[in-house]
Amino acid sequence: MKKALAAFGRWVAVLVVLLAVLLAGPIWMLASDQIVTEGHWSALDRSSAAIAPSPEEVSEAVVQVYAARAYNWRGAFGVHIWIATKAQNADDYRLHQVLSWRRPTVVSSIDIPDRSWFGHAPEVLADYRGDQAQQMIPQIIDAAARFPYADLYRVWPGPNSNSFIAWVAREVPGFDVSLPVTAVGKDYLFDGVFAPTPSGTGYQLSLGGVVGVLVALEEGIEVNMLGLGVGVDFMRPALKLPGIGRLGMPARVMGNHQ
């Protein structure tokens, strides 16, 4: 009995240490005031970051993927990601994303492509232009309409907004995007436990989005523990930490427009 209790105690200690390590980053993000947690959602910044090309100046088709820290305290853990598309000669952008407060959760609507996400400015993860973008747009729309969990949303471990982006990237040929380690839910797989990475440059193994491993040229090596990721990027040297994200060189913006 004493040996069993001792073994149980060691497992508990290991779990406590693991949780402390995984939560250190998110706690630091909150403590350092890098996350907007004050103010009503309706008063937080939702203006354009002036990243997307203006439809008045650029007639070619555009497909971009944006990520910004999630709303309120959730931003300490991860990001919200969306896809912005503009068909050739179109006057507006259409955003494709999953919103937790909507049913069905998948929303495709005309909107500002690069607007801040409730106080947090976005960054570009992928940028496709011209004929390739034009060919991808109807495929993106079709994949979004077929998203298998449009009536279910779970912040953790998924399916959520980041699970949706990973799904669309895998469904559309040539639509490769390297999702950040802070994209909680990206590792939630819908069909089985093994799949190509959204970047199309490697593979990942994941058990319900809770535990898994990813190896790819673009993403490097990532280990998913309890839905939070830790990793190393060798191509553009950087550490990837829960909550904090990349420490090192910035990730490459994927696409045909560099």
Side-chain angles (χ1 to χ4, degrees):
M1 177 64 74
K2 290 183 178 179
K3 290 184 177 180
L5 289 175
F8 177 74
R10 286 193 292 270
W11 277 109
V12 171
V14 170
L15 181 59
V16 170
V17 171
L18 176 61
L19 287 174
V21 171
L22 293 177
L23 295 177
I27 291 173
W28 183 80
M29 293 294 291
L30 288 170
S32 58
D33 292 328
Q34 296 189 59
I35 304 300
V36 178
T37 58
E38 298 182 357
H40 191 269
W41 65 267
S42 62
L44 297 178
D45 182 22
R46 293 283 283 144
S47 63
S48 169
I51 300 174
S54 169
E56 298 177 354
E57 300 175 359
V58 176
S59 61
E60 66 178 346
V62 178
V63 173
Q64 294 181 315
V65 181
Y66 289 93
R69 287 284 171 172
Y71 171 63
N72 210 304
W73 63 267
R74 291 187 289 274
F77 290 85
V79 296
H80 171 73
I81 305 178
W82 64 95
I83 302 168
T85 61
K86 183 190 77 68
Q88 185 174 351
N89 298 320
D91 296 327
D92 301 288
Y93 280 86
R94 184 169 291 273
L95 272 57
H96 312 274
Q97 59 190 325
V98 156
L99 302 177
S100 62
W101 59 88
R102 297 282 296 270
R103 291 297 181 276
T105 60
V106 178
V107 177
S108 295
S109 59
I110 294 176
D111 206 337
I112 299 173
D114 54 0
R115 69 190 314 177
S116 295
W117 188 254
F118 301 103
H120 296 114
E123 63 174 332
V124 180
L125 303 182
D127 191 344
Y128 291 87
R129 307 284 180 95
D131 293 340
Q132 185 177 3
Q134 185 68 12
Q135 292 175 6
M136 288 195 301
I137 289 174
Q139 298 178 72
I140 291 172
I141 294 172
D142 175 69
R146 293 186 289 104
F147 183 59
Y149 286 95
D151 294 317
L152 174 64
Y153 184 95
R154 288 194 298 249
V155 173
W156 178 92
N160 58 24
S161 58
N162 298 326
S163 311
F164 167 75
I165 300 299
W167 156 269
V168 174
R170 292 190 183 98
E171 289 293 302
V172 177
F175 185 30
D176 300 326
V177 53
S178 177
L179 302 182
V181 72
T182 48
V184 177
K186 71 182 177 67
D187 300 314
Y188 185 91
L189 304 181
F190 299 91
D191 301 313
V193 298
F194 188 71
T197 61
S199 71
T201 64
Y203 293 89
Q204 65 182 115
L205 175 71
S206 181
L207 302 177
V210 178
V211 178
V213 62
L214 177 156
V215 180
L217 186 63
E218 284 292 334
E219 291 94 339
I221 298 176
E222 293 180 11
V223 177
N224 172 21
M225 297 177 290
L226 303 180
L228 298 175
V230 179
V232 179
D233 185 342
F234 297 101
M235 293 293 292
R236 284 159 292 281
L239 292 175
K240 300 180 177 184
L241 302 175
I244 296 173
R246 293 179 67 92
L247 291 178
M249 292 183 64
R252 180 172 74 95
V253 176
M254 300 194 72
N256 63 1
H257 182 78
Q258 304 298 326

